Amino acid sequence: MPDDQRLQACLALLEDLGGGREQGPPPRPEQAHALAAGVWGDTGERTQAVQALCHPYLALTMLWRTLGLGLRGNPHHLRPRDRDGARLARDLLVFLRLHLRLSEKLKGVVDWPAAGLPANALEGDGGWCDLCGQCCCHCGTVPAPPPGVSYPPGWYHALSGEALHFQPFCPFLFQALGQPLYFCGLHPIKPLPCRDFGRADCERGRPTRGLIRA
Ligand code: SF4
Ligand code: SF4
């Protein structure tokens, strides 16, 4: 498949599914399959990609904003935009597979509802945080768990950003249902640097942070 065609197919997938997910539920498998057909020729890759694209916690709108539109939540963690189709398709697949692996392991650690988390169930640290997710758009953090917690081995690698060079955002950033709001999939046991990030740190990054619509 010509690379330019693959790039366009990848961007179309991100825009259609990421844009749709902004206000609604995860995409239907047949919708994701139709768009994935132009991106991944291999049946196994396509099947895995579709499974992740339809997952109720995948931050699909953030994938569109970062990989598709070039949003950078943290200006100190720049990620070049993929301009070639093969690279974008590969990076997206790495991220999608990672999401499936991490979500599967999370089941025994953090108890999220299987069907996804409605946006109105989120509080945003008592109201000051608008759950834009931009503070988690970085290339990795120090994967230091809270006292008494030990993460599964692959999580240290994923949290420090070594699973995808360069990651567009933390792979534990999940998307709520119904509104383009984001939350930490590891929230009850998130790493110490993430726990320490508070209102003053957020405000230092404003006005570029806050609830945005693409
Ligand atoms: S950048 Fe600020 S407002 Fe946005 S999610 Fe992070 S803490 Fe909340
Ligand atoms: S672990 Fe959670 S809070 Fe920390 S960067 Fe990842 S998603 Fe954000």
Side-chain angles (χ1 to χ4, degrees):
M1 174 190 319
D3 199 53
D4 190 48
Q5 207 176 314
R6 201 167 184 199
L7 178 64
Q8 294 316 317
C10 222
L11 293 174
L13 176 144
L14 287 168
E15 181 172 353
D16 277 22
L17 301 185
R21 179 72 172 80
E22 193 168 42
Q23 303 294 335
R28 288 171 289 104
E30 54 274 24
Q31 181 191 10
H33 258 295
L35 288 158
V39 180
W40 297 284
D42 179 272
T43 310
E45 290 183 347
R46 197 163 58 244
T47 303
Q48 275 190 316
V50 168
Q51 192 187 345
L53 289 165
C54 298
H55 192 275
Y57 287 107
L58 179 73
L60 192 41
T61 302
M62 192 63 93
L63 278 172
W64 170 41
R65 289 174 179 170
T66 52
L67 295 180
L69 300 176
L71 169 83
R72 300 293 167 257
N74 185 333
H76 301 296
H77 288 247
L78 288 175
R79 180 184 195 284
R81 247 174 120 184
D82 287 327
R83 294 290 184 185
D84 80 78
R87 169 87 196 260
L88 182 55
R90 190 197 70 202
D91 286 356
L92 183 54
L93 187 63
V94 168
F95 196 95
L96 294 175
R97 282 173 164 160
L98 184 62
H99 178 79
L100 291 178
R101 285 202 304 277
L102 298 179
S103 309
E104 196 53 39
K105 277 270 187 229
L106 259 175
K107 280 182 193 162
V109 184
V110 182
D111 190 20
W112 297 120
L117 197 64
N120 61 11
L122 296 168
E123 280 189 354
D125 268 335
W128 68 263
C129 166
D130 56 20
L131 301 159
C132 71
Q134 289 187 68
C135 53
C136 301
C137 293
H138 53 59
C139 292
T141 189
V142 179
V149 174
S150 184
Y151 296 142
W155 288 15
Y156 294 90
H157 192 68
L159 283 163
S160 57
E162 289 165 26
L164 169 63
H165 287 282
F166 301 94
Q167 69 179 19
F169 53 88
C170 177
F172 285 97
L173 186 68
F174 288 178
Q175 184 165 344
L177 301 173
Q179 284 187 62
L181 303 182
Y182 303 87
F183 64 98
C184 175
L186 272 187
H187 185 65
I189 51 165
K190 64 187 175 188
L192 295 176
C194 305
R195 284 195 166 189
D196 289 345
F197 187 93
R199 187 172 190 165
D201 302 297
C202 172
E203 284 172 356
R204 260 200 301 277
R206 289 179 185 272
T208 53
R209 282 181 177 151
L211 185 59
I212 52 163
R213 293 178 194 278

